[in-house]
Amino acid sequence: MDGFDSAQFSIPLIIFLLVFFYGGTFWISTRIGKKQENADGYMTAGNNIGYGISAGSMTATWIWASSMYAAATSGYTYGISGPIHYGFWGALMILFIYPFGKRIRAVAPRAHTLAEVMYARHGRSSQLMLAGSNLVGSLISLMSNFIAGGVLISLLSPFNFTQGVVTIACGVLLYTLWSGFRASVLTDFVQVLAMLGAVAVIVPFIFFAAGFPAAFETGAANLTAQQGNFFSSDAFLNQGAPYIAAVLAYAIGNQTIAQRLFAVREDLIKPTFITATIGYGSMVIGVGMIGVLALYLGVEPTGGDTNNLIPQMAAEYLPAILLIVFFVMIIGALSSTADSDLAAMSSIVMADVYGQNVAGKGEADPKVMLLIGRLTMVVATALAVTFASFQLNILDLLVFVGALWGALVFPVIASFYWKKVTNKAFTTSVVVALAVFLPVRFEWIPLTGAVGLFVDALSVVGIGVVLGLMCFGFFGLRPAMVTGAVAAVASAPFVIGFLHDYATLSGSLVAYAVSTIVCWAMSTSSDMEFDFADIDKVVGDFDDGSAVAAADSDLDDIDDNLDPTH
């Protein structure tokens, strides 16, 4: 784009903006910092955050720079239905979390991680399996946000990609390191307000500056028949359907979401998640439409990398002042999720690795836990910076991690409702599901003939499982079983014989199907009658309870005016 270089910020300006943003977030963090930090407050802020901060944090965590970039990539790749598939299903999955979240909080009101609850429910192997998958997932998420930041800075300033990645990494680490999760949620609230305001101004401005609505008439020839069709089967099979499965797995298995679930006041779970659903959907779909606009205009992404679309369109069509607002918006979006990933990984290592397995629940030293949590953030940042240098495709990373977590969804949910699920059933089902998922997802074996039909048959079961689980949270077991059965039977004639050609979708559905079949078969034959009341006896605070309340009184005070119950 001819005007792209002229839109770059000068070195003094880019330094000022970064110092302004990260200096401000660091100042906010110091306002709630404690000379005598508390281990439980560092992980979950006392399990009592009110509506305003929790809803803002949930929204900001789900809205990351990667989701904005990926939504635009989806729009550019699949046409007008691409951002809808990305944003709508992602928003709907936030809504689907809350009924499961209410159950999880009921059986484990003082938990810090889902893996910690799995330790109480099953034992060490299930705990470490869930903890390990979350460490990998959060590291990939952290890396993808650093990639987004590196791309943004390299395109809008004289600094290169590596310098941008390192700057973003250091900035996020700076304000998250001392206060952990409390710093994350409070800065999230400020960041999401700024993002919502910026999107409301920037997206319409780009559209009208680019010649909307005439651009959609003159540029229609740039679209294929599938891209121009709102009900595109290509968009649904390659983007919509895999994302439905992937984000359900994100919702259940992701520690960044679980951490906010454990932190919010229990009676505010529902309004928190409803607010986040609306906020996420409106913002991400709006930003994703910039990718659709780029498609109609015939824009070629800089360097052939679709991750460049958002900053490229902004640089071309925004005046200097709005370009600065755009820059701060993207930095806020990626930082809000990057700090959540750091807080999530530190909590997992603190509670699951050290607290439960190294020291033991009764012997864990809170001061050592804090040291381990902070060291985890430093190590995770260094690893994410290293991996970000590979500049992998963000959309592919998100779908892959979500599909990988699909193997955990049914065993995790079943473990909170069904007394007969055993540790052996949990671990075996996940391992077998992963063993089937990987060769299907990466096509290590030819998906033809009998193998292809077998994969399609498993995919049919996976469709029933996904829709059944969605229904189960709201309506209970019987409606869920009917929904799942009807969905499987109805989809079979349309799925068997061709779905194996879509490896991403097939891999995700196969992971759901296999883990469900194995877990159900092994649990049905067990004689276990687990007492869920035992979980609360095992899972609880590592520090003294009064210290937790004292450490988090500042957050309670800040949130009072935002809480509808006050």
Side-chain angles (χ1 to χ4, degrees):
M1 302 178 75
D2 295 337
F4 192 66
D5 290 337
S6 63
Q8 287 191 340
F9 298 144
S10 65
I11 290 179
L13 178 58
I14 199 75
I15 291 175
F16 169 77
L17 290 175
L18 290 169
V19 170
F20 171 77
F21 180 85
Y22 287 116
T25 50
F26 178 69
W27 178 81
I28 292 173
S29 179
T30 61
R31 301 293 294 174
I32 58 172
K34 305 295 175 183
K35 293 181 180 179
Q36 297 296 324
E37 186 57 85
N38 174 273
D40 297 296
Y42 195 84
M43 291 187 280
T44 56
N47 309 104
N48 199 37
I49 297 180
Y51 167 76
I53 289 179
S54 59
S57 180
M58 183 68 72
T59 307
T61 297
W62 209 256
I63 299 173
W64 42 340
S66 297
S67 66
M68 292 183 176
Y69 284 28
T73 296
S74 184
Y76 185 81
T77 305
Y78 301 114
I80 194 166
S81 64
I84 305 296
H85 282 304
Y86 190 97
F88 177 76
W89 297 117
L92 203 57
M93 287 309 104
I94 303 176
L95 189 64
F96 281 122
I97 303 172
Y98 99 77
F100 297 118
K102 290 176 67 177
R103 172 62 180 175
I104 293 170
R105 280 293 296 271
V107 300
R110 296 174 298 139
H112 309 88
T113 71
L114 272 178
E116 185 185 14
V117 184
M118 287 300 103
Y119 175 82
R121 176 66 176 87
H122 292 304
R124 186 164 295 155
S125 61
S126 298
Q127 176 195 28
L128 295 180
M129 186 173 289
L130 188 56
S133 69
N134 267 285
L135 287 174
V136 172
S138 289
L139 185 61
I140 291 177
S141 170
L142 188 64
M143 175 187 68
S144 69
N145 278 286
F146 289 168
I147 290 173
V151 167
L152 181 70
I153 290 177
S154 65
L155 289 178
L156 297 183
S157 79
F159 294 115
N160 61 35
F161 173 80
T162 301
Q163 291 169 330
V165 167
V166 172
T167 301
I168 296 297
C170 292
V172 173
L173 184 63
L174 173 70
Y175 73 83
T176 312
L177 185 65
W178 187 252
S179 298
F181 178 74
R182 287 186 288 109
S184 175
V185 293
L186 189 55
T187 54
D188 281 349
F189 178 74
V190 176
Q191 290 159 355
V192 78
L193 291 180
M195 285 189 287
L196 287 169
V199 168
V201 173
I202 287 172
V203 173
F205 191 97
I206 290 178
F207 264 74
F208 286 107
F212 175 83
F216 278 76
E217 298 174 2
T218 59
N222 294 323
L223 278 66
T224 65
Q226 284 288 321
Q227 288 172 331
N229 181 7
F230 183 80
F231 299 101
S232 166
S233 60
D234 189 38
F236 179 75
L237 291 170
N238 285 293
Q239 173 66 62
Y243 204 58
I244 293 171
V247 293
L248 178 59
Y250 265 99
I252 299 301
N254 192 336
Q255 170 60 17
T256 62
I257 303 302
Q259 199 164 11
R260 280 149 184 78
L261 170 65
F262 292 129
V264 65
R265 215 175 71 198
E266 194 167 351
D267 61 312
L268 295 175
I269 291 175
K270 181 177 179 178
T272 293
F273 281 87
I274 290 176
T275 302
T277 297
I278 297 170
Y280 173 89
S282 57
M283 184 180 295
V284 171
I285 291 174
V287 173
M289 287 299 173
I290 294 177
V292 178
L293 178 62
L295 176 63
Y296 274 89
L297 294 173
V299 171
E300 291 294 329
T302 301
D305 186 355
T306 54
N307 291 338
N308 295 335
L309 277 172
I310 292 288
Q312 187 176 338
M313 291 290 287
E316 178 69 10
Y317 294 107
L318 292 178
I321 185 64
L322 286 184
L323 193 59
I324 290 174
V325 173
F326 164 82
F327 178 82
V328 174
M329 177 189 76
I330 298 296
I331 294 296
L334 68 89
S335 299
S336 67
T337 304
D339 62 34
S340 300
D341 289 320
L342 290 177
M345 286 188 280
S346 68
S347 295
I348 290 171
V349 176
M350 288 169 70
D352 295 304
V353 178
Y354 171 75
Q356 294 281 10
N357 288 286
V358 175
K361 184 61 169 44
E363 304 297 326
D365 185 340
K367 293 182 179 179
V368 175
M369 291 184 73
L370 287 168
L371 176 61
I372 290 173
R374 288 169 177 149
L375 289 175
T376 299
M377 289 190 181
V378 174
V379 172
T381 300
L383 289 174
V385 167
T386 302
F387 292 142
S389 64
F390 296 119
Q391 289 186 260
L392 302 174
N393 183 279
I394 291 174
L395 186 57
D396 288 344
L397 287 174
L398 299 182
V399 174
F400 170 72
V401 174
L404 192 65
W405 275 338
L408 287 159
V409 173
F410 181 85
V412 169
I413 292 177
S415 296
F416 282 102
Y417 290 90
W418 194 12
K419 297 180 179 181
K420 296 175 71 66
V421 181
T422 64
N423 182 50
K424 187 175 182 180
F426 186 104
T427 54
T428 304
S429 63
V430 173
V431 170
V432 173
L434 291 178
V436 178
F437 161 76
L438 292 173
V440 172
R441 172 63 182 84
F442 295 106
E443 300 182 81
W444 293 343
I445 56 176
L447 301 180
T448 57
V451 175
L453 291 175
F454 179 68
V455 169
D456 289 344
L458 287 176
S459 297
V460 168
V461 176
I463 292 171
V465 170
V466 170
L467 295 180
L469 287 175
M470 290 178 178
C471 182
F472 172 70
F474 287 98
F475 305 110
L477 180 60
R478 188 178 297 276
M481 293 177 67
V482 172
T483 300
V486 171
V489 172
S491 64
F494 304 98
V495 167
I496 294 177
F498 92 98
L499 196 62
H500 56 265
D501 292 334
Y502 297 86
T504 300
L505 176 55
S506 295
S508 182
L509 292 174
V510 162
Y512 276 96
V514 173
S515 64
T516 300
I517 293 170
V518 174
C519 186
W520 174 82
M522 295 182 66
S523 300
T524 298
S525 59
S526 77
D527 56 1
M528 172 175 280
E529 291 292 331
F530 182 78
D531 184 358
F532 288 102
D534 291 342
I535 292 179
D536 193 34
K537 299 175 183 177
V538 178
V539 177
D541 295 333
F542 289 92
D543 246 329
D544 178 72
S546 60
V548 178
D552 294 295
S553 59
D554 286 354
L555 271 182
D556 296 337
D557 292 342
I558 292 170
D559 205 56
D560 275 351
N561 292 328
L562 302 169
D563 191 333
T565 63
H566 283 79

